[in-house]
Amino acid sequence: MATPALELLFKHFPSAKFDYFIGYRPVAEIVRSYPQTRHIYLKRGGFETVRQIYELRKNRYDYVLITSGHSSWKSCLFANLLKTGCTIGDYEGNISFFDKATKRSRNSHRMTCNLLMVKNAFGINETTPAQPKVTISSPQNDAIIKEIVGTGKTVIGIHCGSRETQSYKRWPTEHFRQLLALIHQNNADAFFLIFATGTEQQEARVITNQSTHCSLILDKPLSIVMGLIQRCRLMIANDSGIGHLAAAVGTPTLSIFGPSDPGKCAPVGAHCRHIRAEGFCKPCIDGTVPSKCGETAECMAVLKPETVYKLVAGLLEETGH
């Protein structure tokens, strides 16, 4: 969701070099592909974060930019501890300690917030589409990709998981299994690629159990995952990074939402859609799902496979498949 803002910076500062401090390891593969990337620092956590701050100080950055969506006060503290020339960020509430701050709109998508933050900080006045862009070049993986998707069938990608600490974003596994049965019942040539890693594998294996029209894609490098997603006719995912990757490479995408707000973080693209159960409480996510829901958010559990299938069928028809 920061890629449009990064592209804008690359355009206006072509000779600049960029370092990235990243808390979620898979993201590193995306920024590593940019020619402007100098170093990537992976957050180590705990006291090691303090040690990393002292390491980063030595780089004497001209600017430190915190992407939108993070805790304002924590982000501002981190940026100022780096002793940089200028801190840039957005904030909620009435006060911010960033040098160049943009007040965060409650109803704006994070991509729009990131773009606005960069435009305000550097005085850039131009119309820029809030459209993600991700490119990972991997010709050495083409043979693997062709082997997996070269079935001549209608290939549909499925991501039934989410980050381990956000398992409440996962649509029930049995719902996914029923959805795949409905799709295959009405599209006999449908073939499913089930993407999973880490703790998602258990759900993925349940979905593919005793199925002859599914293939598990487990713990593959991001370059292969993206190559496979590009060749899918449709990607169906929970609110997760996989959905955003699919949108960024132009694959029609359906995202299943529950506790989080699709208005702020749904994948964006010409053929991107999202669905959330009607008549439930407003998006409630703020670090953790409310205790009344337990590990599974009620708004995810009540969203029926038949309801989701109607949207899937419409997307397949809309995109000519």
Side-chain angles (χ1 to χ4, degrees):
M1 287 186 282
T3 56
L6 289 173
E7 293 287 340
L8 190 62
L9 285 170
F10 299 156
K11 175 182 175 182
H12 285 267
F13 302 96
S15 61
K17 293 297 180 182
F18 293 77
D19 288 359
Y20 298 89
F21 185 72
I22 293 171
Y24 189 47
R25 183 177 294 271
V27 176
E29 295 305 312
I30 295 173
V31 297
R32 188 172 284 123
S33 66
Y34 294 132
Q36 298 88 342
T37 296
R38 186 178 65 166
H39 295 300
I40 298 172
Y41 297 90
L42 297 174
K43 182 181 177 183
R44 294 196 287 264
F47 185 75
E48 285 297 311
T49 301
V50 178
R51 192 188 304 273
Q52 283 184 298
I53 288 173
Y54 281 99
E55 292 175 8
L56 291 167
R57 276 188 181 185
K58 298 175 184 178
N59 293 329
R60 299 182 179 275
Y61 294 113
D62 296 303
Y63 298 93
V64 167
L65 183 149
I66 306 293
T67 55
S68 184
H70 295 92
S71 165
S72 299
W73 72 268
K74 287 182 180 179
S75 300
C76 193
L77 175 62
F78 173 81
N80 281 283
L81 284 173
L82 296 187
K83 300 291 184 181
T84 185
C86 179
T87 60
I88 303 169
D90 66 356
Y91 67 100
E92 293 177 329
N94 299 315
I95 190 169
S96 172
F97 294 99
F98 287 110
D99 295 319
K100 295 188 176 184
T102 297
K103 189 172 178 63
R104 189 184 302 165
S105 170
R106 288 188 176 183
N107 299 318
S108 293
H109 197 283
R110 286 184 187 171
M111 268 188 285
T112 302
C113 291
N114 283 320
L115 277 168
L116 184 61
M117 188 166 50
V118 167
K119 289 179 180 181
N120 288 346
F122 296 102
I124 300 171
N125 184 21
E126 65 178 67
T127 301
T128 308
Q131 175 64 48
K133 179 182 178 183
V134 175
T135 303
I136 296 180
S137 178
S138 54
Q140 71 274 19
N141 294 322
D142 279 355
I144 300 173
I145 292 167
K146 288 177 181 178
E147 179 183 353
I148 295 175
V149 299
T151 61
K153 295 180 177 291
T154 299
V155 181
I156 298 175
I158 302 290
H159 184 225
C160 58
S162 64
R163 197 182 302 192
E164 185 175 359
T165 56
Q166 298 177 340
S167 59
Y168 47 81
K169 289 183 176 182
R170 299 179 185 182
W171 199 39
T173 307
E174 180 60 22
H175 286 11
F176 265 113
R177 196 183 66 78
Q178 291 178 28
L179 175 64
L180 267 60
L182 283 170
I183 296 172
H184 194 261
Q185 178 182 329
N186 292 280
N187 299 268
D189 68 338
F191 187 82
F192 304 97
L193 301 182
I194 315 297
F195 296 90
T197 185
T199 60
E200 302 166 349
Q201 294 189 28
Q202 182 176 352
E203 288 99 328
R205 293 186 188 281
V206 169
I207 291 173
T208 58
N209 187 33
Q210 298 181 341
S211 173
T212 58
H213 49 269
C214 292
S215 179
L216 276 172
I217 311 299
L218 302 177
D219 292 319
K220 295 293 185 184
L222 193 62
S223 56
I224 293 180
V225 169
M226 287 193 55
L228 290 169
I229 290 174
Q230 280 183 303
R231 287 159 175 80
C232 287
R233 304 282 182 86
L234 175 66
M235 186 75 207
I236 305 170
N238 293 320
D239 171 25
S240 67
I242 289 286
H244 289 281
L245 285 176
V249 300
T251 298
T253 304
L254 172 59
S255 299
I256 302 172
F257 272 78
S260 45
D261 186 352
K264 294 181 179 179
C265 56
V268 175
H271 298 293
C272 289
R273 304 289 185 271
H274 62 264
I275 187 169
R276 189 175 186 269
E278 296 290 342
F280 255 77
C281 54
K282 294 179 180 179
C284 57
I285 187 171
D286 185 19
T288 58
V289 73
S291 57
K292 73 180 183 68
C293 289
E295 292 185 2
T296 301
E298 291 181 16
C299 55
M300 297 292 277
V302 301
L303 186 59
K304 300 302 181 184
E306 293 81 6
T307 304
V308 176
Y309 174 71
K310 290 179 182 178
L311 199 52
V312 170
L315 263 173
L316 288 173
E317 183 178 355
E318 177 184 317
T319 54
H321 302 297

